[in-house]
Amino acid sequence: MKAIIEERTTHGRGQGIFALQSFSKGDILYVGVLDEKPVSNHSHASQISKTTFGFHKGLSSKFNHSCDPNCGIALNDSGGHDIVAMSDIAAEDEATFDYAMRNYRIEHFTAKCGCGQARCRGSISGWKDLPQQRKDDYAGFVAPYLLEMDRENAAISREPELLLLDR
Ligand SMILES: [Zn+2]
């Protein structure tokens, strides 16, 4: 099978993944396959459900983070994360996604973000810290358990109000 992406050395950001052909919005660049059993939160693990973390095989971990990415995440039937084009991508472009698209909290990337985008938020933060506008921008390209977690947390924070109304 002809390779459609390739690992290369970036300018100043270590290894990254580059497109070898053009992609249209919605195209899958890489099919995510989980490697091991779920593990506890770990610097190289990614969140794979509301409560579990895991590793992906192959090139999945080589995609760099960007605060203004051209790819997003789709959960596939095996539970892995496919990397999906969120906008049109030209051959030779680096393919990136926002690590907040699958991690509710990010505790292992404390250094400054080096994505270099005008929209850079300064550090690689998790989904819970994204402004609502950014969450809306990413609609359809994030792991669905993040939306569930948002709904649950919203329900928890509404509870005292509901109790008050019951009286
Ligand atoms: Zn950034």
Side-chain angles (χ1 to χ4, degrees), residues 63-75:
F63 286 83
N64 279 318
H65 163 89
S66 172
C67 297
D68 196 4
N70 52 14
C71 293
I73 294 294
L75 208 58

Side-chain angles (χ1 to χ4, degrees), residues 132-149:
Q132 188 58 47
Q133 179 60 52
R134 194 67 59 92
K135 291 184 178 184
D136 294 345
D137 290 347
Y138 291 166
F141 291 94
V142 301
Y145 50 77
L146 299 175
L147 305 175
E148 250 177 85
M149 292 173 83

Side-chain angles (χ1 to χ4, degrees), residues 8-39:
R8 291 184 192 165
T9 304
T10 66
H11 294 289
R13 300 187 66 217
Q15 297 301 105
I17 297 295
F18 289 79
L20 294 177
Q21 61 170 60
S22 58
F23 294 94
S24 304
K25 183 178 179 175
D27 287 348
I28 295 176
L29 278 75
Y30 196 74
V31 175
V33 180
L34 291 173
D35 197 0
E36 295 164 38
K37 286 196 210 65
V39 292

Side-chain angles (χ1 to χ4, degrees), residues 6 97 166:
E6 177 176 85
F97 67 93
D166 279 347

Side-chain angles (χ1 to χ4, degrees), residues 65-67 113-116 120-122:
H65 163 89
S66 172
C67 297
C113 179
C115 77
C120 182
R121 55 187 186 267

